[in-house]
Amino acid sequence: MFTRTSHIPTVDHLAADPVTHHFDDMVAPSGLTNHLGTVRVDHDLTSVTGVQFPPVSQGLATTAVCFIDGRILKSYGAPITHEWRPDRVVRRTELPGLVLETTTVVVPGRTAVAIDMRVRNTGAERRAVEVMLSLAARVVRGDDAWNAPESPSAKNEASVDGSRLVFADDAGTAWSVQGVDLPAIARLSGVAPASEEFMVGIGGMGRGGDVTVVLDVPAGAERRFGYVHAVGRTREAAVEAYDAVVDDVEGAVEASEQYWNTQLEAAVTPGNREFSGHLPVLETSSEALSRLYWWGILGILYFRRDYEGNVLGRSYDTLMPNYWATTTFLWDFSLSSVTHALLDPEAMRRQLAHWITSDTHTLFGTSSLTGGPVGQWYSVNDYAMTRLVRDYVRFTGDDGFLDEEFGDGRSVLDHLRFWARAWQGLRRASKLADYGEIENLLECVSSYTHEVASFNAANVWNLRVTADLLESRGDTDAAAELRAEADELVEAVMELYLPGEGFFAAGQPDGTRLPVRHCYDFNIVGTSIPEDLDERTRREMVDFFRRELQTPEWLRALSPWDPDASYSVRPDHQWNGAYAAWPADAARALVALGEPEVALDWLPGLARSANQGPPGQAHFVAEAQPLLSGGARKAPPQLPYINDWACSSSGAYVALVIESLFGAAPGVVGLGEVHGCVAALDPDAVLRGLRVGDRLVDVHADGRVVDRA
């Protein structure tokens, strides 16, 4: 264990606020991981869903549903309180004469989930309490890319093995072993598995059998038992994992806490054994600033995947615990680009090299199982790749990466030239690139299509970034040519602006322009070409943001005054909420547009939304769903919202703190003068141990940069 300091949190410090709910309230079920796999922790006291340890998958199959004294727990109507921490979820409820509590962990180093259950008798008489867990599994080995939001699953056959149940797919290539650590009765349900012709989930998830424990609990006393669910590619592997955990479930719970405290410490420690880099330690008296910074870090830590068979050795997934397991989305990865470059540059370099050898104009992500493409083309990809390469090079100092060739004989610098000009092949009748239809852009905003301001402004940025890199290599003529193209393009982008309104229109193929009041134009235009905007335009954009998008705790992605607010209720991009990274990028845009005080005043409200675990794929604004303990509520996974509990774009909050608030934004030749705004929030704040190339520096709120030995 590393020596702890007061500026490095433990799992206790990053615990979510307790959430108490009844059956099927609008609360997103939380997730857990041990970097080998994930699990969803359900609203029940014991049930878990989607136990995934690639390549073994179970889709969203649910198991360990709890019955107390023969009756399904959910039917008692008792509220259940969930308390999430990085290492565990504690669930608690009360029935007449009983207090029931469970602690769920994903066991470090094992393809297994463990639950420690405790039953306390609050009555005056000894009591026998029967606890039955209804067990199911749909394990399958999915070696191909998981090219659907929900991971693969298959019909299983169940068998009794002593006091546990064993499940297997028809091919015998995936196994699940489930049972408890006390003497118990295990039995099959007697229900034949449903035909695969039947759509799983429409009517249920299946019943393989159940396991029953009877606890003899004296008055005022407590008794416990442990449940273990282990998976493997062979029966032997699943049984080995099960046996290793079931012998000491309480030890597994303790090991999870130790594991996650080590991860948090390692993330900000130079030379640690967990990551190829590290992030700086933030010293501040501002609770909001610290909370948002660690919110961003935690979100990245939660998506590391080191499972056996990962084609990259290590990757970072994008969503969990419901959708797109084993997939890394280009867009989301780029939103956390600075964090990846600092925390784990070797993994980032491998991921970049892999994408450079892929056709990024035909996908939105790639599979860590196969390396193959996943999904359709996203319009962001050229911007995302440029941003990723730039951030990797400027923070690591690995300038030689630009000269490397990956597969097609072109250097990385050649690819940058291509990405900088790829938009020219997308032009139709105007000077602007046409980025296609809804499926290539925001997916749930029907008017945000074709010639959008965001990615056309990003093309200006791509041209200038590539010009800077060329100039650093001495190719001044090529750099000047790209800058001239950028200056010409920025004029065309600004023709989409609606003077006096503060927002932009989207050009359509028939020559018309649809006004779109979306935060993405504000974010990208504000961060990519702020110097090209006159003072009036900047002021109007900020006024629009404050008037129609900003809320005290979060952000509306789309203005409720926009006619397209009727199109969808998916909260990542619509009026009723916003995607995880949009508030962070909006705050960066505010700073770039010359209004840092608006961003700083907003931070305490945003920090209140960091109270439910890592950033969700989307959070609701208060008008759409009541706040949870003062924070914007995470959106749930079910239709029509289909948003996951956590998303890896959370690193955007780290970039907000380092680059925008502290002003520590290195160029391609290193870190120069620092001009931040964080002193207005905390004049004594310091970033300690920021790595920029070969330098390790402390960055102070007053702009001082002090090199460390």
Side-chain angles (χ1 to χ4, degrees):
M1 294 283 287
F2 300 110
T3 302
R4 299 198 181 282
T5 76
S6 60
H7 300 288
I8 302 175
T10 66
V11 290
D12 279 326
H13 296 120
L14 296 179
D17 290 340
V19 178
T20 300
H21 56 82
H22 286 81
F23 172 67
D24 211 27
D25 280 352
M26 187 76 82
V27 175
S30 57
L32 291 169
T33 183
N34 65 354
H35 297 142
L36 300 178
T38 62
V39 64
R40 188 178 97 179
V41 183
D42 287 340
H43 293 166
D44 185 11
L45 187 70
T46 52
S47 66
V48 291
T49 292
V51 179
Q52 316 282 2
F53 290 96
V56 176
S57 167
Q58 300 192 73
L60 290 178
T62 301
T63 190
V65 177
C66 187
F67 288 69
I68 299 294
D69 291 335
R71 177 178 175 180
I72 190 168
L73 178 68
K74 298 174 186 176
S75 73
Y76 283 94
I80 297 177
T81 298
H82 283 212
E83 297 180 12
W84 178 92
R85 287 190 344 190
D87 63 315
R88 68 183 63 179
V89 174
V90 175
R91 292 175 277 184
R92 186 181 301 107
T93 193
E94 293 188 27
L95 298 179
L98 296 176
V99 174
L100 309 170
E101 181 178 284
T102 61
T103 301
T104 304
V105 301
V106 185
V107 185
R110 297 288 181 181
T111 56
V113 175
I115 301 175
D116 183 68
M117 181 167 184
R118 295 176 184 267
V119 177
R120 183 157 55 91
N121 181 357
T122 59
E125 309 244 342
R126 179 182 291 269
R127 182 168 173 182
V129 181
E130 181 186 281
V131 182
M132 186 184 83
L133 303 180
S134 179
L135 305 183
R138 289 184 56 83
V139 285
V140 67
R141 178 170 173 170
D143 290 317
D144 296 330
W146 297 358
N147 284 319
E150 185 177 322
S151 303
S153 67
K155 178 171 65 72
N156 283 182
E157 292 292 335
S159 60
V160 174
D161 180 16
S163 60
R164 62 192 182 191
L165 292 186
V166 177
F167 300 83
D169 65 349
D170 287 344
T173 59
W175 297 78
S176 166
V177 181
Q178 301 180 48
V180 295
D181 61 359
L182 291 182
I185 297 173
R187 62 181 183 179
L188 299 179
S189 68
V191 177
S195 165
E196 292 298 89
E197 302 292 321
F198 179 73
M199 187 179 296
V200 175
I202 294 296
M205 286 295 176
R207 284 175 52 215
D210 50 63
V211 59
T212 301
V213 174
V214 178
L215 299 175
D216 181 19
V217 191
E222 179 181 272
R223 294 291 183 265
R224 65 155 301 280
F225 73 92
Y227 159 82
V228 177
H229 181 169
V231 304
R233 287 178 279 184
T234 64
R235 180 187 178 104
E236 292 73 21
V239 168
E240 179 186 9
Y242 176 88
D243 287 344
V245 177
V246 80
D247 286 342
D248 188 7
V249 170
E250 293 173 288
V253 171
E254 292 176 6
S256 184
E257 178 175 1
Q258 294 170 3
Y259 177 81
W260 274 101
N261 278 332
T262 298
Q263 301 305 306
L264 297 172
E265 186 86 19
V268 291
T269 301
N272 69 84
R273 297 180 180 181
E274 295 291 336
F275 306 97
S276 57
H278 72 281
L279 291 155
V281 172
L282 171 62
E283 296 182 4
T284 179
S285 61
S286 169
E287 182 181 347
L289 187 66
S290 178
R291 193 172 193 183
L292 287 172
Y293 183 66
W294 275 98
W295 201 37
I297 294 174
L298 177 62
I300 297 300
L301 298 184
Y302 237 57
F303 286 94
R304 190 179 102 194
R305 300 292 177 262
D306 294 329
Y307 67 86
E308 183 181 354
N310 188 323
V311 295
L312 295 177
R314 169 176 293 178
S315 60
Y316 285 81
D317 274 3
T318 294
L319 296 171
M320 71 162 287
N322 298 282
Y323 301 129
W324 292 114
T326 73
T327 297
T328 305
F329 286 63
L330 254 164
W331 197 340
D332 308 74
F333 196 84
S334 72
L335 289 162
S336 295
S337 184
V338 169
T339 312
H340 288 295
L342 288 169
L343 177 67
D344 214 348
E346 291 180 7
M348 183 182 190
R349 196 182 202 276
R350 288 193 298 271
Q351 183 71 70
L352 283 175
H354 182 73
W355 276 333
I356 288 169
T357 61
S358 306
D359 184 354
T360 56
H361 283 184
T362 62
L363 51 81
F364 60 49
T366 49
S367 165
S368 55
L369 281 163
T370 67
V374 178
Q376 73 274 16
W377 170 61
Y378 269 177
S379 302
V380 72
N381 287 2
D382 293 325
Y383 173 46
M385 289 300 295
T386 303
R387 181 176 180 177
L388 285 161
V389 170
R390 175 179 182 263
D391 286 347
Y392 171 79
V393 170
R394 67 195 178 102
F395 277 101
T396 65
D398 183 9
D399 184 69
F401 182 66
L402 297 174
D403 299 314
E404 294 206 29
E405 298 176 0
F406 297 102
D408 63 358
R410 290 186 293 167
S411 69
V412 174
L413 189 55
D414 290 334
H415 282 277
L416 282 163
R417 292 176 191 252
F418 170 74
W419 299 326
R421 286 180 163 141
W423 61 274
Q424 295 174 353
L426 299 173
R427 289 178 296 187
R428 295 195 183 192
S430 82
K431 296 179 181 179
L432 298 172
D434 185 322
Y435 280 102
E437 297 290 346
I438 187 171
E439 67 272 11
N440 306 121
L441 290 152
L442 298 180
E443 296 180 346
C444 56
V445 185
S446 67
S447 57
Y448 201 80
T449 56
H450 300 293
E451 294 176 359
V452 294
S454 57
F455 293 135
N456 278 288
N459 290 329
V460 176
W461 185 87
N462 290 348
L463 288 162
R464 290 170 175 168
V465 163
T466 306
D468 289 345
L469 290 167
L470 289 168
E471 188 170 63
S472 73
R473 296 301 191 83
D475 195 344
T476 55
D477 290 342
E481 184 179 340
L482 291 181
R483 290 195 180 105
E485 292 177 18
D487 292 342
E488 181 181 355
L489 178 58
V490 79
E491 295 180 6
V493 173
M494 292 313 298
E495 290 176 7
L496 295 175
Y497 182 68
L498 302 175
E501 301 287 354
F503 51 88
F504 294 78
Q508 302 299 300
D510 62 1
T512 60
R513 292 184 176 181
L514 287 174
V516 184
R517 301 154 108 112
H518 204 278
C519 77
Y520 197 66
D521 282 343
F522 176 83
N523 290 0
I524 302 304
V525 172
T527 54
S528 62
I529 58 169
E531 299 86 357
D532 296 287
L533 309 178
D534 60 41
E535 183 59 34
R536 177 181 174 182
T537 300
R538 291 185 182 200
R539 185 176 64 253
E540 290 175 352
M541 287 177 63
V542 173
D543 287 346
F544 159 69
F545 172 81
R546 299 183 72 181
R547 181 179 68 248
E548 301 190 22
L549 301 181
Q550 185 182 16
T551 71
E553 307 82 14
W554 201 240
L555 174 69
R556 306 179 188 101
L558 182 69
S559 166
W561 284 270
D562 191 296
D564 209 69
S566 65
Y567 181 76
S568 171
V569 293
R570 220 180 85 179
D572 41 352
H573 303 308
Q574 269 285 345
W575 68 269
N576 54 341
Y579 173 74
W582 293 168
D585 278 5
R588 297 191 75 185
L590 288 168
V591 174
L593 292 169
E595 298 285 354
E597 68 281 355
V598 178
L600 293 174
D601 289 346
W602 193 26
L603 293 187
L606 291 180
R608 288 196 297 272
S609 297
N611 67 339
Q612 299 156 62
Q617 182 180 345
H619 291 237
F620 287 114
V621 292
E623 300 96 328
Q625 282 293 321
L627 301 176
L628 273 178
S629 301
R633 180 185 299 248
K634 285 189 179 188
Q638 66 264 28
L639 288 167
Y641 308 109
I642 53 172
N643 274 238
D644 223 328
W645 174 80
C647 180
S648 71
S649 64
S650 61
Y653 292 88
V654 176
L656 166 65
V657 172
I658 293 174
E659 293 204 294
S660 295
L661 303 187
F662 274 89
V668 296
V669 293
L671 183 65
E673 292 186 0
V674 167
H675 301 286
C677 59
V678 74
L681 189 67
D682 176 7
D684 298 318
V686 186
L687 282 175
R688 296 208 182 274
L690 175 67
R691 175 181 49 78
V692 182
D694 293 332
R695 297 177 69 189
L696 197 65
V697 301
D698 294 342
V699 181
H700 294 258
D702 61 8
R704 287 180 295 129
V705 178
V706 180
D707 282 271
R708 304 179 71 180

